[in-house]
Amino acid sequence: MLDKKSFTCCVSDHKSMETGILSLPECDAHIKAIDFSVCYGDNEAVRKVNAILPKGKVTAIIGPSGCGKSTFLRAINRMNDLIPICNIHGKLIFEGLNIYEPRLDVVTLRRKIGMVFQKPNPFPKSIYENIVFSPRIHGIKNKNKLNEIVETSLRDAALWDEVKDRLEKNALGLSGGQQQRLCIARALAAQPEILLMDEPTSALDPMATLKIEELIEKLSSRYTIIIVTHNMAQAARVSEYTAFFYEGVMVEFNKTIDLFKKPLIKRTEDYITGRFG
């Protein structure tokens, strides 16, 4: 089992094994990965990851295209269940249970672990109906309570002032950046503990990207946030911890400032200095 105060991150290049150790004396684990692997048929997309994802922190996951970072992120709230050839090995521990235990209720899991995708994907409904979708699924019917959730969620997503007078308008009429903040508000309406973000700004212009980054900073005081990003400068700006993936392996995990300034693993240094990727 993993100890919350220390763990080992490794990479194998088939010829040698390099190892780095991260100590987390002040951080509780929100997610623990124990020998966790994801396979698509014969392809091992994520390979025996052992890691602790700290509670109440922003963790960035970086790495070249196809390295397994998005696959790992999606595994945290079981989005990969929708892929018939996907097989899981090892464990992801959340609230003392393996996320992949048969007895675990996936609907409840996804309420506690929300997700925002690469491209904004609002429902083709009103702004209001987008926000109340999840609360209604979980049994909230009172109109006043729903109204309160809508306002709180939109305020938390820094969108209320822009849309409060057009809540009944179709969400597809919003700009791309507004749509992405709406999707964040929709995830927050379920009152999650963890917010997963899969390259949430890659389809946005610089100004919209800045607003999302400012929003991540604001939300980080209340949520555990795990963000996949191809933009290393963004990882450096928004995160406290960073994990580097390569060929399905979590090569290195450390405080962001240390990983970028003093990487423990040569392959990490090669990637962040632009020698490959």
Side-chain angles (χ1 to χ4, degrees):
M1 294 291 291
L2 293 173
D3 182 271
K4 80 175 183 179
K5 293 188 178 180
S6 65
F7 63 90
T8 302
C9 302
C10 327
V11 60
S12 170
D13 61 4
H14 308 296
K15 294 181 181 178
S16 64
M17 181 75 76
E18 297 178 283
T19 303
I21 297 176
L22 166 66
S23 184
L24 294 173
E26 299 177 357
C27 296
D28 293 326
H30 218 156
I31 299 287
K32 289 183 182 181
I34 303 173
D35 288 335
F36 185 73
S37 300
V38 181
C39 300
Y40 298 126
D42 295 331
N43 175 36
E44 196 173 21
V46 172
R47 296 194 283 136
K48 289 195 173 181
V49 169
N50 287 284
I52 288 173
L53 301 181
K55 187 174 185 177
K57 306 294 182 182
V58 180
T59 297
I61 302 177
I62 63 172
S65 296
C67 68
K69 56 188 187 291
S70 289
T71 295
F72 179 72
L73 188 79
R74 288 166 178 260
I76 295 173
N77 75 344
R78 292 185 51 170
M79 292 301 296
N80 296 324
D81 287 9
L82 304 174
I83 303 172
I85 62 170
C86 182
N87 294 298
I88 302 297
H89 305 280
K91 296 179 179 180
L92 280 180
I93 305 299
F94 171 64
E95 295 186 339
L97 273 180
N98 179 13
I99 284 171
Y100 286 87
E101 285 269 354
R103 59 186 166 137
L104 185 137
D105 182 70
V106 178
V107 174
T108 300
L109 176 73
R110 290 178 183 156
R111 181 183 65 79
K112 294 182 177 183
I113 305 178
M115 184 135 191
V116 177
F117 296 93
Q118 182 174 1
K119 293 182 179 180
N121 62 340
F123 302 140
K125 299 173 180 285
S126 70
I127 295 168
Y128 185 93
E129 289 298 323
N130 267 267
I131 302 299
V132 301
F133 181 81
S134 179
R136 279 179 175 157
I137 285 179
H138 293 98
I140 298 176
K141 306 296 183 185
N142 181 274
K143 181 72 172 176
N144 289 334
K145 181 61 177 176
L146 291 173
N147 290 345
E148 179 184 333
I149 290 171
V150 169
E151 181 171 350
T152 300
S153 301
L154 289 170
R155 284 190 184 279
D156 286 347
L159 191 58
W160 174 253
D161 289 339
E162 297 172 41
V163 302
K164 63 184 178 181
D165 297 324
R166 48 176 175 153
L167 296 178
E168 299 306 320
K169 299 291 185 180
N170 194 306
L172 298 180
L174 298 174
S175 70
Q178 288 174 325
Q179 287 185 20
Q180 192 66 301
R181 280 183 284 147
L182 176 65
C183 291
I184 293 171
R186 188 175 65 194
L188 296 178
Q191 298 182 315
E193 297 177 25
I194 298 173
L195 190 59
L196 309 177
M197 295 184 164
D198 191 2
E199 299 197 25
T201 64
S202 64
L204 305 180
D205 62 51
M207 287 304 298
T209 294
L210 176 61
K211 287 188 176 182
I212 297 293
E213 290 184 3
E214 290 174 344
L215 180 56
I216 290 170
E217 182 178 3
K218 173 186 170 185
L219 295 174
S220 65
S221 63
R222 294 162 48 199
Y223 302 93
T224 297
I225 298 175
I226 306 168
I227 175 172
V228 164
T229 177
H230 67 282
N231 186 328
M232 285 184 283
Q234 181 174 76
R237 286 192 298 267
V238 305
S239 70
E240 295 167 86
Y241 293 88
T242 296
F244 168 54
F245 270 68
Y246 181 74
E247 292 186 349
V249 175
M250 184 181 282
V251 175
E252 188 167 348
F253 186 109
N254 211 333
K255 289 183 177 179
T256 298
I257 189 169
D258 294 330
L259 186 138
F260 278 94
K261 288 187 174 181
K262 297 178 181 178
L264 299 172
I265 308 297
K266 179 66 162 59
R267 187 161 283 160
T268 310
E269 181 181 0
D270 290 344
Y271 180 71
I272 63 178
T273 55
R275 292 192 183 102
F276 75 94

